[in-house]
Amino acid sequence: MTAAMTPSLLQVSDLKVRFCTADGELQALRSVSFDMQPGEVLAVVGESGSGKTQLALALMGLLAENGSASGTAMFQGHDLLSCGQARLNRLRGSEMAMIFQDPESTLNPYLNIGRQMSEVLEQHRRMPHAQALQVAEEMLHQVRIGNPRECMQQYPHELSGGMQQRIVIAMGLLCQPALLIADEPTTALDVTVQADINRLMLDLRERYQTAIMLITHDLGVVAGLADRVLVLYAGQTMEYAAVRDLYRQPEHPYSRALVRAVPQLDSQHGAGLQPIPGNPPNPLQIPSGCPFRDRCEFAFTDCTATPLLRPARHGGQIACHLETLPE
Ligand code: SF4
């Protein structure tokens, strides 16, 4: 799916993530491959436990101590999985940044916003303090904080959840990274603030040409935001497609179930909404064969063998034994 002649910003191949737990080895990701172009928005979608957050943490070198990653993840000439902590520390914050669902996990409650933001620039860009304060204030303006100067003096607890998340986005973009990983950035916010933050991320993508990896369990937020979608289930790629293709004609039963679970604007009170029956498998006991088969209405005898990722009709990729998804 890589566009011809366009060098990828990020090229992930055969990424596997494992955790050693008291109950045995947990495979959070099992051979995931994809690429991202400069300025692209890639949505990584899946239910809880699909491995999407571990994907982000593996790329950022932030896996828990009992976790390990293998494969390659080439980013600006460096393999993020083997380049070492010193290189990763330099890349994090300057070339790649991550924002989390909960702004409180990013913001320091004991420092005012101006101090927190200016420190990022002083540390990663070696910027003099006065200039860093100026740039931080301008970035608060960019994320549509009404009174940036006053906000610089405030502490996180004095700000609403929506304001805090805008500030986290501003901090993530301060060094104008080439890649921003946003893990459920709006889940904790109310719907109007969610829409506002999503618009804001798109504006900033346009302005800074930042590629955004948007991690979400909700396919509904992806439609107006992403260029491509990577659908994960039980740590494996189910479908990888342009967003318009995935919405119009998903080729994998799981993707179609996700699309049908999205409330439509024209539906009344959730009418037509079809939640996916059943639950994802226990990550410690993923069955052999297709991991979705216990929930798949089209499962047949071949599905006891693991389906390999193959080209789909829409030009993307799917992992399913069905030749054609019935209507
Ligand atoms: Fe369903 Fe079989 Fe396709 Fe899995 S491989 S999604 S069980 S039809």
Side-chain angles (χ1 to χ4, degrees), residues 95-260:
E95 296 301 326
M96 48 196 281
M98 183 162 175
I99 57 179
F100 297 89
Q101 179 179 335
D102 173 13
E104 286 170 13
S105 62
T106 303
L107 297 173
N108 183 332
Y110 304 110
L111 298 179
N112 69 25
I113 301 302
R115 171 94 183 269
Q116 298 191 46
M117 293 184 72
S118 58
E119 277 186 356
V120 172
L121 290 163
E122 287 166 41
Q123 189 183 339
H124 290 287
R125 287 283 182 257
R126 305 251 174 271
M127 206 176 265
H129 183 64
Q131 188 188 356
L133 286 173
Q134 225 173 17
V135 172
E137 194 177 316
E138 170 56 22
M139 185 54 83
L140 288 178
H141 179 68
Q142 297 292 340
V143 297
R144 301 200 281 273
I145 296 283
N147 188 339
R149 187 151 297 176
E150 185 186 321
C151 179
M152 297 272 281
Q153 304 304 322
Q154 291 178 301
Y155 288 80
H157 73 270
E158 299 177 84
L159 303 165
S160 69
M163 290 263 282
Q164 289 183 7
Q165 196 58 304
R166 277 165 209 267
I167 289 162
V168 168
I169 292 173
M171 285 176 74
L173 290 170
L174 265 179
C175 297
Q176 298 180 18
L179 174 64
L180 179 71
I181 300 180
D183 187 5
E184 306 269 11
T186 60
T187 302
L189 306 173
D190 73 49
V191 177
T192 48
V193 182
Q194 279 184 12
D196 201 27
I197 298 264
N198 288 339
R199 268 197 304 277
L200 170 67
M201 285 201 295
L202 278 190
D203 285 355
L204 295 170
R205 182 267 285 259
E206 293 298 319
R207 189 184 301 263
Y208 299 114
Q209 272 300 296
T210 299
I212 301 174
M213 182 184 294
L214 177 66
I215 292 174
T216 177
H217 67 281
D218 179 2
L219 200 54
V221 306
V222 163
L225 274 179
D227 302 301
R228 287 189 290 176
V229 185
L230 179 72
V231 178
L232 295 181
Y233 187 80
Q236 296 172 53
T237 301
M238 298 288 109
E239 188 159 359
Y240 181 31
V243 70
R244 63 180 177 281
D245 296 329
L246 194 97
Y247 267 93
R248 275 193 214 141
Q249 204 169 21
E251 294 188 33
H252 194 285
Y254 180 57
S255 310
R256 186 157 85 183
L258 286 176
V259 170
R260 288 181 172 173

Side-chain angles (χ1 to χ4, degrees), residues 252-253 290 292-293 296 298-299 303 307 320-322:
H252 194 285
C290 174
F292 188 56
R293 75 176 193 276
C296 178
F298 307 108
C303 305
C320 178
H321 291 302
L322 281 177

